Amino acid sequence: MVTAWTNIAVDNILSRINEISEDKILRIGSKNGINSKNMKYSIFNRRKKHPEWIKVENIKKEIGHQKKELNKVFDSLSVNQNKINKIIEQKNNFQMASKNIKESIKEFNLQMGNITVNNLDNDPKLNDIEEEIVFYDLKAENYIKLAKMVLKLDEIEKSLPKNDEFFLLESELKKLKGKGLVKKVTSIFDKSGFKEYKSDLNQKEYHYDKMVREFNSYWDFKDKLDNKCQDLYPQGTGQPDEDAQDNYLISIEKLEESIPLKKEHWKNELSKDVNELLVESYKIYIDSLEKKYYLLRGEYNSLKADISLKINEKERLLDLIDNIKITISNLEFEKKRCTQIIDRDIFDRAKIIFSTVISSANPLMKEYSSEVMIMDEASQVASYMSLIPLLKCNKFILVGDNKQLQPIIESKLDEGHNKPIFNNLMEKYPDSCTFLDTQYRMNGYISNLASKLFYDNQLKTHPPIRNQIIDCNLNEAVNRILNPLAPITFLDTSNIDFYEDGVGGGCKNTKEAIIVNNIVSFLIESGIKSEEIGIISPYVKQKDKIKEIVDYDVEVETVYKFQGREKDIIIMSFCKSKLGELNNYVKRFIEQPTQINVAITRARKKLILVGNINNLKGSDLLNQLIKNIGDDFILQCNNEHLKDLEVKLDL
């Protein structure tokens, strides 16, 4: 296992490995954390090449299909619910109208009860007509009831499952039951298969019983309808809705026929008690109200039947939604299971695992134990965090630099836990430590600068890279400023009032960011590739400002984030520049030895520093840095230099 604190450090190691077969390497970590060039080693890309991955892809497609079906059913459910709501609204309106009529009938009956009426004999013909009216009204109501039953039967037929579905399900059920004994016997060896078989059998039996109940309910209702049809149409044919209308028309005609007789009767009875006429008029009006009431009740009952059908449909859709959700859940489980099997197979075949310290807690590595664990940048790993990979190895090698950036302090833990595992072991087992005194990155002058400041002059440089410098064609004026033959250039802004912006916490220096941008522009225009340039600053706000201003795709980061990285050219923006001396808090931050060490050792060929030396030399460490760089490599910027660099102060 090879590990480090940051993804960048892990990917830096992995990018240098080219003699090991790709299928023997596995990179563990999140998609966002792994460098795109190393994604071919990741579990995500390796899965897609696995012969069993096609199963996962098919499951994904089926999940997508089921989700589309689920959305369709939800849409149907919404439409159905809207219909239910409209019917409920209509039903409530009819109910309210019926209530108002009942109250009117009650009120008129009360008024009629207060009138004294003499008994009167009706005309026999009028009696006959009124009996006929009642007869035709009853016939009409019977035909209406029959028409509604026919409509309801039609709705039930539409909701019934198709015969093909029923017989298909019955056939499948018989086949499943026929396999029952075999499945039960083989369940000793395949319990999950038998469980799946039982689940499938129970589900199909449930749907089959439900279909049977629906068909039985249908035939029961049809029998009632047939009996009703036989009563009203013994001859076997008829149109109940039209017959109902015809009988109501006859009833109305009879009512109209009765009106002259009633008028004649009233004329003959004018001599009788006038109150009798009032009572009769009340009766007629009440009678019309009662007819209207019964018509409304008929409509109300029809709506009740409609809403019952819609509610049945709603329940069917809800059952379907539950079934689809169960299917999706089962598919998701199967997808996860297949992915885990594939991941485990890929993991078991790998010979070298690359991951960050934290990613080594990946579930795939739960039972993992490596022969050797190599931890790079170990000085950045706190003791308590280092236990994650250390518990997964028989032997370990820690590689790090106790003179460079240390772990971020966890305030809730004591110093011992926050202290890097690297530093702890160096102190406890000095005989087990080896100082690698030869570096293979930097120009010898840059290396000597770090060696003097941090390594007691013990650091050596590999001879072939000792005199490496950048190769570019700068114009004469810019060449005098940046001097590509010099491994270090310090652009001192003390004399040009490039003070930091007046912002709150942190630091931002727009003018210094503009200088950095123009330096990058000249370097790239002179033939330097953008990927060979890195820009760093101790401050997050300055990093963001430089990113905002720089015109090219150049990597810009804080010093802390750049540990473990390297570039041919590093441009360091100190950012801090103001009148007077820096306060102690600022000096403590900007002069951290580990931070300065990392900053000056990122460049392979050229280190360009930009800052206000008058401010920076107030720090003992930075003052030593400036003195060791020497006057030959320090350029005190003036307005002429600004003109040469084409710095536009109005920006």
Side-chain angles (χ1 to χ4, degrees):
M1 177 165 61
V2 179
T3 184
W5 181 245
T6 64
N7 278 299
I8 291 173
V10 175
D11 284 325
N12 278 343
I13 301 169
L14 186 53
S15 64
R16 286 165 170 77
I17 292 178
N18 49 27
E19 296 179 357
I20 301 175
S21 175
E22 183 179 318
D23 62 346
K24 293 182 180 180
I25 297 172
L26 181 61
R27 175 71 163 92
I28 300 293
S30 66
K31 284 185 179 179
N32 295 333
I34 300 173
N35 186 291
S36 58
K37 294 178 181 179
N38 292 328
M39 281 302 292
K40 61 184 178 180
Y41 300 112
S42 72
I43 193 73
F44 311 105
N45 283 37
R46 297 283 294 281
R47 285 172 182 164
K48 296 174 184 177
K49 297 179 181 179
H50 196 279
E52 295 297 314
W53 185 249
I54 187 66
K55 292 181 180 179
V56 178
E57 291 293 342
N58 290 335
I59 293 172
K60 284 182 180 179
K61 289 179 183 178
E62 183 58 25
I63 289 173
H65 171 71
Q66 290 294 333
K67 286 182 177 179
K68 286 181 181 179
E69 291 299 312
L70 186 62
N71 289 334
K72 289 179 183 179
V73 178
F74 271 121
D75 290 341
S76 298
L77 184 64
S78 177
V79 171
N80 186 72
Q81 186 61 52
N82 289 335
K83 290 180 180 179
I84 289 174
N85 293 340
K86 287 181 180 179
I87 293 173
I88 290 174
E89 183 180 356
Q90 289 177 312
K91 189 165 71 74
N92 291 339
N93 291 337
F94 280 129
Q95 195 170 24
M96 182 61 69
S98 299
K99 181 180 178 182
N100 292 337
I101 291 173
K102 288 290 286 183
E103 290 176 353
S104 297
I105 291 172
K106 183 178 179 181
E107 181 182 347
F108 283 113
N109 275 323
L110 183 63
Q111 293 179 17
M112 186 175 66
N114 294 328
I115 301 172
T116 304
V117 180
N118 294 324
N119 292 327
L120 297 175
D121 294 330
N122 287 331
D123 187 335
K125 185 177 180 182
L126 182 59
N127 289 336
D128 292 339
I129 292 173
E130 288 179 342
E131 287 178 2
E132 288 178 339
I133 290 171
V134 172
F135 171 77
Y136 287 113
D137 283 346
L138 288 173
K139 283 188 69 176
E141 289 176 4
N142 283 331
Y143 286 128
I144 284 176
K145 289 179 181 177
L146 180 59
K148 288 178 179 178
M149 288 179 71
V150 171
L151 180 62
K152 182 176 180 181
L153 184 67
D154 185 55
E155 290 291 331
I156 292 173
E157 285 180 342
K158 289 179 181 178
S159 68
L160 282 175
K162 299 292 185 295
N163 286 338
D164 290 347
E165 293 178 7
F166 177 79
F167 291 123
L168 178 61
L169 180 60
E170 187 178 53
S171 175
E172 289 179 350
L173 191 59
K174 286 179 180 179
K175 290 179 181 178
L176 279 174
K177 287 181 177 180
K179 295 177 181 179
L181 182 58
V182 175
K183 288 287 183 179
K184 188 169 184 181
V185 171
T186 58
S187 67
I188 299 171
F189 309 100
D190 185 15
K191 292 183 178 180
S192 61
F194 183 71
K195 186 176 179 181
E196 184 178 348
Y197 160 77
K198 287 293 293 179
S199 175
D200 192 21
L201 178 63
N202 292 338
Q203 189 175 15
K204 284 184 168 55
E205 284 180 338
Y206 167 78
H207 286 297
Y208 177 80
D209 292 338
K210 186 176 178 184
M211 286 184 181
V212 170
R213 289 197 300 272
E214 289 175 352
F215 277 112
N216 289 340
S217 176
Y218 165 76
W219 289 113
D220 290 341
F221 188 84
K222 191 173 185 308
D223 288 340
K224 292 180 182 179
L225 178 61
D226 290 343
N227 292 334
K228 189 73 174 177
C229 287
Q230 184 64 34
D231 290 340
L232 294 178
Y233 296 104
Q235 73 279 14
T237 59
Q239 295 292 331
D241 51 347
E242 294 179 4
D243 292 342
Q245 185 177 359
D246 291 343
N247 279 276
Y248 272 129
L249 289 173
I250 295 171
S251 176
I252 292 170
E253 289 174 359
K254 293 295 180 180
L255 184 61
E256 290 176 351
E257 184 182 346
S258 70
I259 291 173
L261 295 175
K262 286 186 179 292
K263 287 182 179 179
E264 185 65 28
H265 175 73
W266 291 335
K267 288 179 182 178
N268 294 332
E269 298 294 333
L270 282 176
S271 59
K272 295 185 178 181
D273 193 344
V274 176
N275 286 342
E276 184 177 13
L277 297 176
L278 290 174
V279 170
E280 194 64 30
S281 64
Y282 275 127
K283 286 181 177 180
I284 293 172
Y285 184 64
I286 290 170
D287 183 60
S288 66
L289 288 177
E290 287 178 342
K291 287 183 178 180
K292 187 176 181 181
Y293 170 78
Y294 286 116
L295 285 173
L296 286 174
R297 292 306 297 176
E299 293 293 339
Y300 176 81
N301 291 332
S302 176
L303 290 174
K304 282 177 66 176
D306 289 345
I307 200 171
S308 177
L309 292 172
K310 293 294 183 292
I311 288 173
N312 289 339
E313 174 65 10
K314 177 180 178 179
E315 291 175 352
R316 185 187 71 81
L317 292 172
L318 289 173
D319 286 343
L320 186 56
I321 287 171
D322 288 341
N323 290 335
I324 294 176
K325 284 182 176 179
I326 290 171
T327 300
I328 291 174
S329 177
N330 291 337
L331 288 169
E332 291 285 3
F333 176 80
E334 183 62 15
K335 184 186 78 171
K336 182 179 179 181
R337 188 185 69 82
C338 289
T339 303
Q340 288 174 341
I341 292 172
I342 291 169
D343 288 353
R344 175 50 60 187
D345 186 53
I346 294 170
F347 186 84
D348 290 342
R349 291 172 184 270
K351 301 300 181 184
I352 308 177
I353 306 298
F354 285 80
S355 78
T356 62
V357 170
I358 294 175
S359 291
S360 65
N362 187 290
L364 275 173
M365 302 177 72
K366 186 176 181 181
E367 305 297 332
Y368 174 68
S369 179
S370 64
E371 285 299 315
V372 180
M373 185 273 290
I374 304 172
M375 184 188 294
D376 191 24
E377 301 285 2
S379 61
Q380 275 193 294
V381 184
S383 293
Y384 74 97
M385 292 301 298
S386 67
L387 292 175
I388 302 173
L390 284 173
L391 291 172
K392 298 177 185 294
C393 67
N394 297 326
K395 300 177 183 179
F396 63 87
I397 301 170
L398 304 184
V399 183
D401 188 345
N402 61 323
K403 301 292 186 180
Q404 293 198 359
L405 290 171
Q406 306 294 292
I408 296 174
I409 299 299
E410 174 55 61
S411 59
K412 295 180 180 179
L413 297 176
D414 58 30
E415 183 181 353
H417 287 88
N418 278 307
K419 192 173 183 179
I421 185 66
F422 187 78
N423 298 23
N424 263 327
L425 295 180
M426 278 185 67
E427 294 171 7
K428 291 183 179 181
Y429 306 102
D431 294 338
S432 296
C433 297
T434 300
F435 179 71
L436 304 180
D437 61 0
T438 303
Q439 63 86 18
Y440 298 81
R441 173 191 297 161
M442 298 167 275
N443 174 286
Y445 193 89
I446 302 173
S447 173
N448 289 340
L449 181 62
S451 184
K452 288 177 185 178
L453 291 173
F454 305 109
Y455 300 104
D456 298 325
N457 289 313
Q458 297 182 61
L459 196 59
K460 302 173 185 177
T461 299
H462 185 51
I465 66 167
R466 183 177 294 145
N467 298 314
Q468 62 183 3
I469 57 174
I470 59 173
D471 181 16
C472 61
N473 297 310
L474 296 169
N475 66 52
E476 185 178 348
V478 178
N479 188 76
R480 286 197 303 272
I481 298 171
L482 298 182
N483 189 4
L485 298 178
I488 301 177
T489 296
F490 198 132
L491 299 182
D492 178 16
T493 64
S494 301
N495 297 326
I496 52 176
D497 299 335
F498 270 25
Y499 299 130
E500 63 194 76
D501 303 357
V503 296
C507 181
K508 181 173 68 175
N509 191 323
T510 301
K511 293 179 180 179
E512 200 169 288
I514 294 173
I515 283 185
V516 170
N517 176 52
N518 288 337
I519 292 171
V520 171
S521 299
F522 281 115
L523 289 171
I524 291 178
E525 289 168 8
S526 68
I528 300 294
K529 295 179 180 179
S530 60
E531 58 265 27
E532 295 174 355
I533 303 171
I535 304 172
I536 57 177
S537 175
Y539 297 98
V540 174
K541 286 186 177 179
Q542 182 68 350
K543 175 209 63 173
D544 293 338
K545 173 53 69 174
I546 293 171
K547 273 189 173 181
E548 177 187 325
I549 291 176
V550 170
D551 298 323
Y552 296 91
D553 185 19
V554 176
E555 189 170 359
V556 185
E557 263 305 346
T558 61
V559 176
Y560 188 88
K561 287 290 185 68
F562 223 84
Q563 174 149 321
R565 307 297 313 286
E566 57 185 66
K567 296 283 185 179
D568 278 358
I569 302 172
I570 289 290
I571 305 170
M572 165 76 164
S573 171
F574 279 99
C575 187
K576 270 296 173 186
S577 179
K578 60 196 302 183
L579 291 172
E581 295 183 355
L582 302 178
N583 63 48
N584 290 332
Y585 174 79
V586 171
K587 281 195 289 187
R588 280 196 302 272
F589 173 75
I590 205 169
E591 71 172 359
Q592 293 180 54
T594 55
Q595 181 170 236
I596 297 302
N597 190 9
V598 169
I600 66 175
T601 56
R602 298 306 95 199
R604 288 190 286 258
K605 299 178 180 179
K606 178 76 172 179
L607 174 64
I608 302 173
L609 305 173
V610 184
N612 183 333
I613 286 181
N614 282 349
N615 284 154
L616 299 177
K617 68 183 181 182
S619 157
D620 291 339
L621 175 60
L622 295 178
N623 191 34
Q624 291 180 48
L625 172 68
I626 293 164
K627 285 181 179 179
N628 281 291
I629 288 174
D631 293 339
D632 291 342
F633 295 145
I634 296 176
L635 180 68
Q636 292 184 342
C637 292
N638 54 40
N639 290 329
E640 188 64 28
H641 296 133
L642 296 180
K643 183 178 179 181
D644 291 337
L645 285 173
E646 298 180 354
V647 177
K648 298 178 181 179
L649 297 178
D650 58 321
L651 292 179

Coordinates of all heavy atoms in Angstrom, one line a residue, residues 491-530:
L491 N 11.8 40.1 -6.9 CA 11.3 41.5 -7.3 C 10.9 42.2 -6.1 O 9.8 41.9 -5.5 CB 10.2 41.3 -8.3 CG 10.5 40.6 -9.7 CD1 9.3 40.6 -10.6 CD2 11.7 41.2 -10.3
D492 N 11.7 43.2 -5.7 CA 11.4 44.0 -4.5 C 10.5 45.2 -4.8 O 10.9 46.1 -5.6 CB 12.7 44.5 -3.9 CG 12.5 45.3 -2.6 OD1 11.4 45.3 -2.1 OD2 13.5 46.0 -2.2
T493 N 9.3 45.2 -4.2 CA 8.3 46.3 -4.5 C 8.4 47.4 -3.5 O 7.5 48.2 -3.4 CB 6.9 45.7 -4.6 OG1 6.6 45.2 -3.3 CG2 6.8 44.6 -5.6
S494 N 9.4 47.5 -2.7 CA 9.5 48.5 -1.6 C 9.4 49.9 -2.1 O 8.9 50.8 -1.4 CB 10.8 48.3 -0.8 OG 10.9 47.0 -0.3
N495 N 9.9 50.2 -3.4 CA 10.0 51.6 -3.8 C 8.8 52.0 -4.8 O 8.9 53.1 -5.3 CB 11.3 51.7 -4.6 CG 12.5 51.5 -3.7 OD1 12.4 51.8 -2.5 ND2 13.6 51.0 -4.2
I496 N 7.8 51.1 -5.0 CA 6.8 51.4 -5.9 C 5.4 51.4 -5.3 O 4.4 51.4 -6.0 CB 6.8 50.5 -7.1 CG1 6.8 49.0 -6.7 CG2 8.0 50.7 -8.0 CD1 6.7 48.0 -7.8
D497 N 5.3 51.5 -4.0 CA 4.0 51.7 -3.3 C 3.0 50.6 -3.7 O 1.8 51.0 -3.9 CB 3.4 53.1 -3.5 CG 4.4 54.2 -3.0 OD1 5.2 53.9 -2.1 OD2 4.3 55.3 -3.5
F498 N 3.4 49.4 -3.9 CA 2.4 48.3 -4.2 C 1.9 47.8 -2.9 O 2.1 46.6 -2.5 CB 3.1 47.3 -5.0 CG 3.0 47.5 -6.5 CD1 2.9 48.8 -7.0 CD2 3.1 46.5 -7.4 CE1 2.8 49.0 -8.4 CE2 3.0 46.7 -8.8 CZ 2.9 48.0 -9.3
Y499 N 1.0 48.6 -2.2 CA 0.5 48.2 -0.9 C -0.7 47.3 -1.1 O -1.4 47.3 -2.0 CB 0.2 49.4 -0.1 CG 1.4 50.3 0.2 CD1 1.3 51.7 -0.1 CD2 2.6 49.7 0.6 CE1 2.4 52.5 0.2 CE2 3.7 50.5 0.8 CZ 3.6 51.9 0.6 OH 4.7 52.7 0.8
E500 N -0.9 46.4 -0.1 CA -2.0 45.5 -0.1 C -3.3 46.3 0.0 O -3.4 47.4 0.4 CB -1.9 44.6 1.1 CG -2.0 45.3 2.5 CD -1.6 44.4 3.6 OE1 -0.3 44.2 3.8 OE2 -2.4 43.9 4.4
D501 N -4.4 45.6 -0.5 CA -5.8 46.2 -0.5 C -6.3 46.4 0.9 O -5.9 45.6 1.8 CB -6.7 45.4 -1.3 CG -6.3 45.1 -2.7 OD1 -5.2 45.7 -3.1 OD2 -6.9 44.4 -3.5
G502 N -7.1 47.4 1.1 CA -7.7 47.6 2.5 C -8.9 46.6 2.7 O -10.0 47.0 2.6
V503 N -8.6 45.4 3.0 CA -9.7 44.4 3.2 C -9.6 43.9 4.7 O -8.7 44.3 5.4 CB -9.5 43.2 2.3 CG1 -9.7 43.6 0.9 CG2 -8.1 42.5 2.4
G504 N -10.5 43.1 5.1 CA -10.6 42.6 6.5 C -9.5 41.5 6.7 O -8.3 41.7 6.5
G505 N -9.9 40.4 7.3 CA -9.0 39.3 7.6 C -8.3 38.8 6.4 O -8.7 38.9 5.2
G506 N -7.1 38.2 6.5 CA -6.3 37.7 5.4 C -5.6 38.8 4.7 O -5.3 39.9 5.3
C507 N -5.2 38.6 3.5 CA -4.4 39.6 2.7 C -4.7 39.5 1.3 O -4.8 38.4 0.7 CB -2.9 39.5 3.0 SG -1.9 40.7 2.2
K508 N -4.8 40.7 0.6 CA -5.0 40.7 -0.9 C -4.3 41.9 -1.4 O -4.4 43.0 -0.9 CB -6.5 40.8 -1.2 CG -6.8 40.8 -2.7 CD -8.3 40.7 -3.0 CE -9.0 41.9 -2.6 NZ -10.5 41.9 -2.9
N509 N -3.5 41.7 -2.5 CA -2.7 42.8 -3.1 C -2.9 42.7 -4.6 O -2.2 42.0 -5.3 CB -1.2 42.6 -2.7 CG -0.4 43.8 -3.0 OD1 -0.6 44.4 -4.0 ND2 0.6 44.0 -2.2
T510 N -3.8 43.5 -5.1 CA -4.2 43.5 -6.5 C -3.0 43.9 -7.4 O -2.8 43.3 -8.4 CB -5.4 44.5 -6.7 OG1 -6.5 44.0 -5.9 CG2 -5.8 44.4 -8.2
K511 N -2.3 44.9 -7.0 CA -1.1 45.4 -7.8 C -0.1 44.3 -7.9 O 0.5 44.1 -9.0 CB -0.5 46.7 -7.3 CG -1.5 47.9 -7.3 CD -0.9 49.1 -6.7 CE -1.8 50.3 -6.8 NZ -1.2 51.5 -6.2
E512 N 0.2 43.6 -6.9 CA 1.2 42.5 -6.9 C 0.6 41.4 -7.8 O 1.4 40.7 -8.5 CB 1.4 42.0 -5.5 CG 2.7 41.2 -5.3 CD 3.1 41.0 -3.9 OE1 3.6 42.0 -3.2 OE2 3.0 39.9 -3.4
A513 N -0.7 41.1 -7.7 CA -1.3 40.1 -8.6 C -1.1 40.4 -10.1 O -1.0 39.6 -10.9 CB -2.8 39.9 -8.2
I514 N -1.2 41.8 -10.4 CA -1.1 42.2 -11.8 C 0.4 41.9 -12.2 O 0.6 41.5 -13.4 CB -1.4 43.7 -11.9 CG1 -2.9 43.9 -11.6 CG2 -1.1 44.2 -13.3 CD1 -3.4 45.3 -11.6
I515 N 1.4 42.2 -11.4 CA 2.8 41.9 -11.7 C 2.9 40.4 -12.0 O 3.5 40.0 -13.0 CB 3.7 42.3 -10.6 CG1 3.9 43.8 -10.5 CG2 5.1 41.7 -10.7 CD1 4.9 44.3 -9.5
V516 N 2.3 39.6 -11.1 CA 2.4 38.1 -11.3 C 1.8 37.7 -12.7 O 2.4 36.9 -13.4 CB 1.7 37.4 -10.2 CG1 1.6 35.9 -10.5 CG2 2.5 37.6 -8.9
N517 N 0.7 38.3 -13.0 CA 0.0 38.0 -14.3 C 0.9 38.4 -15.5 O 1.0 37.6 -16.5 CB -1.3 38.7 -14.4 CG -2.0 38.5 -15.7 OD1 -2.2 37.4 -16.2 ND2 -2.3 39.6 -16.4
N518 N 1.5 39.6 -15.4 CA 2.4 40.0 -16.5 C 3.6 39.2 -16.6 O 4.1 38.9 -17.7 CB 2.7 41.5 -16.3 CG 1.5 42.4 -16.6 OD1 0.6 42.0 -17.3 ND2 1.5 43.6 -16.1
I519 N 4.2 38.7 -15.5 CA 5.3 37.8 -15.5 C 5.0 36.5 -16.3 O 5.7 36.0 -17.1 CB 5.9 37.5 -14.1 CG1 6.5 38.8 -13.5 CG2 6.9 36.4 -14.2 CD1 6.8 38.6 -12.0
V520 N 3.8 36.0 -15.9 CA 3.3 34.7 -16.5 C 3.1 34.9 -18.0 O 3.5 34.1 -18.9 CB 2.0 34.3 -15.9 CG1 1.3 33.1 -16.7 CG2 2.2 33.8 -14.5
S521 N 2.6 36.1 -18.4 CA 2.3 36.4 -19.8 C 3.6 36.4 -20.6 O 3.8 35.8 -21.7 CB 1.6 37.7 -20.0 OG 0.4 37.7 -19.4
F522 N 4.6 37.1 -20.1 CA 5.9 37.1 -20.8 C 6.6 35.8 -20.9 O 7.2 35.4 -21.9 CB 6.9 38.1 -20.1 CG 6.6 39.6 -20.4 CD1 6.1 40.4 -19.4 CD2 6.7 40.0 -21.7 CE1 5.8 41.7 -19.7 CE2 6.4 41.4 -22.0 CZ 6.0 42.2 -21.0
L523 N 6.5 35.0 -19.8 CA 7.1 33.6 -19.8 C 6.5 32.7 -20.9 O 7.1 32.1 -21.6 CB 7.0 33.0 -18.4 CG 7.9 33.6 -17.3 CD1 7.5 33.0 -16.0 CD2 9.4 33.3 -17.6
I524 N 5.1 32.7 -20.9 CA 4.4 31.9 -21.9 C 4.7 32.3 -23.3 O 4.9 31.5 -24.2 CB 2.9 31.8 -21.5 CG1 2.7 31.0 -20.2 CG2 2.1 31.2 -22.7 CD1 1.3 31.0 -19.7
E525 N 4.6 33.7 -23.5 CA 4.9 34.2 -24.9 C 6.3 33.9 -25.3 O 6.6 33.9 -26.5 CB 4.6 35.7 -24.9 CG 3.1 36.0 -24.8 CD 2.8 37.5 -24.5 OE1 3.8 38.3 -24.6 OE2 1.7 37.8 -24.2
S526 N 7.2 33.7 -24.4 CA 8.6 33.4 -24.7 C 8.9 31.9 -24.9 O 10.0 31.5 -25.2 CB 9.6 34.0 -23.6 OG 9.4 33.2 -22.4
G527 N 7.9 31.1 -24.8 CA 8.0 29.7 -25.1 C 7.9 28.7 -23.9 O 7.9 27.5 -24.1
I528 N 7.6 29.3 -22.7 CA 7.4 28.4 -21.5 C 6.0 27.9 -21.6 O 5.0 28.6 -21.8 CB 7.7 29.2 -20.2 CG1 9.1 29.7 -20.2 CG2 7.4 28.3 -19.0 CD1 10.2 28.6 -20.1
K529 N 5.8 26.6 -21.3 CA 4.4 26.0 -21.3 C 3.7 26.3 -20.0 O 4.4 26.4 -18.9 CB 4.5 24.5 -21.5 CG 5.0 24.1 -22.8 CD 5.1 22.5 -22.9 CE 5.6 22.1 -24.3 NZ 5.7 20.6 -24.4
S530 N 2.4 26.5 -20.1 CA 1.7 27.0 -18.9 C 1.7 25.9 -17.8 O 1.8 26.2 -16.6 CB 0.2 27.2 -19.2 OG -0.4 26.1 -19.8

